[in-house]
Amino acid sequence: MSDPAADARPGLPVTELANAIVAFLFAASAPVAIILAAGARGGLTEADLASWLFAAFALNGALTIAMSAAFRQPLAFFWTIPGTVLVGAALETVSLGEVVGAYLLSGLLLIVLGLTGWVKAAMERLPMPIVMGMVAGVFLEFGLDWIRAFATDFALVVTMTATFVMLSLSPAVQRALPPMIGVLVAGVAVLVLQGEAPGLATGDRILAAPQLYRPEFSLAATAELVVPLAVTVIAAQNAQGIVILRTAGHAPPVNAITTACGAASMVTGPLGCVSTCLTGPSNAILVSSGRVERHWIAAVCLGLLAIAFGVFAPAVTQLLLATPVAFMATLAGLALLRTLLAAFQTSFGGRFGLGAMIAFLVTVAGLPIANIGAPFWGLVFGLAASLLLEREDFRA
């Protein structure tokens, strides 16, 4: 019987680095655009946004490295995207200081929930098909965006997709050249040939300049943000990441993850960054290929890339936002293809099928209720449907 620790040592981390790069590009593209849009809606300045991005990447990147190395499994942390949308709306009526105060209270709540073990107990009682139905609903949009990208830049998307297929035909070829590395190189080559490769303008800011904000505590911000932020971290974000890691063969430490999210939120919050969470899509990309016992190396690579992004956030953000949408959509769609397949197989292959379907449909619909994102409500309504109509599955 082989020793996993020994198996994890030899060889260059080519596959792991490839997955880390794709996961990083995903995190640094559309999610960054959501931060910029939410910040603009809330009237944040360029300095506020730069500080937010520094904390979101550099500090969460350090947490990713520490947790992944400590537990020897991929534990990638970034920020809650539904929470970002909540904050953008809240900033229209409350000050940034009050929002920072809500970040701290929400972080404290997460720490309490993690230390008491309540979150792990709840996760163990949630039927896996229903949770994976929610995950499938979240990831479906990435697959659809890849298909839609054929209509916007056919040559680019066909080249990247054909590269993925050719490199995936043979396991030996995959070991020599990971498909996503080939996809990335092929996509960049097409952009260069088309004259669409992004670049920096003279005089642009290069280094981040984090700001420290004094927290203010108000009933309005507390009522609007504290509990919803905690819910989005636990049920809309962490649940995705935990189930994805379990499906890939890992045993994520649920209570430690929740506690770490709370502690990190109390550090990133005073810099203006929304609450920390265990990311679903990025972790899915990290475990999409390669050996299970080496996935944590991919997470460490991702953490290093995130720290570098945080330090050079203004420059890198400009480059990524200038990249064609079709490029990022194809990259993310192909990287998450097998994870989406696994989510569908787990959701609709046996018990709790109706609950899984309700969770999937509610999540895909994307309608928030009471300022809480659709993935949470997908879990709620999916579980309610199974409790009412699939009671035999619970007995089994």
Side-chain angles (χ1 to χ4, degrees), residues 27-380:
S29 54
V32 167
I34 293 172
I35 288 180
L36 299 179
R41 179 181 179 184
L44 297 184
T45 66
E46 183 178 337
D48 296 332
L49 291 170
S51 182
W52 183 337
L53 288 172
F54 170 81
F57 281 91
L59 300 186
N60 287 328
L63 176 64
T64 296
I65 294 172
M67 290 289 286
S68 299
F71 290 96
R72 284 299 192 273
Q73 55 185 300
L75 297 172
F77 294 86
F78 281 121
W79 67 93
T80 163
I81 294 177
T84 300
V85 178
L86 292 179
V87 169
L91 284 169
E92 297 183 35
T93 56
V94 299
S95 69
L96 180 56
E98 290 173 293
V99 169
V100 170
Y103 289 158
L104 297 181
L105 293 176
S106 182
L108 182 60
L109 176 59
L110 289 170
I111 291 175
V112 171
L113 293 175
L115 292 177
T116 58
W118 178 86
V119 176
K120 181 179 181 181
M123 282 295 299
E124 289 176 345
R125 285 165 175 75
L126 277 175
M128 182 68 71
I130 295 176
V131 179
M132 290 302 281
M134 178 268 285
V135 172
V138 171
F139 287 176
L140 178 65
E141 194 63 28
F142 298 116
L144 294 177
D145 284 344
W146 162 49
I147 301 301
R148 294 174 186 135
F150 281 93
T152 59
D153 195 331
F154 185 78
L156 173 66
V157 180
V158 164
T159 302
M160 295 174 71
T161 303
T163 302
F164 178 82
V165 172
M166 288 187 294
L167 294 178
S168 300
L169 290 175
S170 166
V173 174
Q174 290 185 55
R175 287 192 294 270
L177 179 61
M180 291 312 301
I181 279 287
V183 169
L184 182 62
V185 172
V188 171
V190 172
L191 291 180
V192 171
L193 291 174
Q194 292 177 338
E196 296 182 7
L200 285 174
T202 305
D204 286 330
R205 175 183 288 273
I206 301 297
L207 296 176
Q211 311 284 319
L212 190 62
Y213 300 94
R214 181 177 179 180
E216 301 173 21
F217 300 96
S218 69
L219 183 59
T222 300
E224 186 174 358
L225 289 176
V226 173
V227 173
L229 280 175
V231 169
T232 62
V233 168
I234 294 171
Q237 299 278 182
N238 287 9
Q240 294 178 39
I242 289 167
V243 172
I244 287 164
L245 293 176
R246 285 177 175 172
T247 304
H250 297 285
V254 178
N255 291 335
I257 288 170
T258 307
T259 304
C261 288
S265 298
M266 298 190 74
V267 176
T268 61
L271 297 177
C273 178
V274 71
S275 305
T276 294
C277 70
L278 184 74
T279 170
S282 292
N283 276 304
I285 294 170
L286 294 179
V287 302
S288 62
S289 61
R291 302 211 304 267
V292 172
E293 66 271 13
R294 290 174 62 92
H295 285 162
W296 71 275
I297 300 175
V300 170
C301 293
L302 174 60
L304 293 172
L305 291 171
I307 292 173
F309 181 98
V311 174
F312 298 99
V316 183
T317 299
Q318 181 183 340
L319 288 173
L320 290 169
L321 294 181
T323 303
V325 174
F327 175 81
M328 298 308 307
T330 304
L331 206 59
L334 292 174
L336 294 172
L337 203 55
R338 297 190 188 280
T339 301
L340 181 59
L341 173 62
F344 275 115
Q345 290 172 333
T346 303
S347 301
F348 308 118
R351 293 184 298 153
F352 302 103
L354 181 61
M357 178 59 71
I358 296 298
F360 171 75
L361 292 174
V362 172
T363 303
V364 169
L367 297 177
I369 302 174
N371 285 332
I372 299 176
F376 168 74
W377 295 111
L379 287 178
V380 170

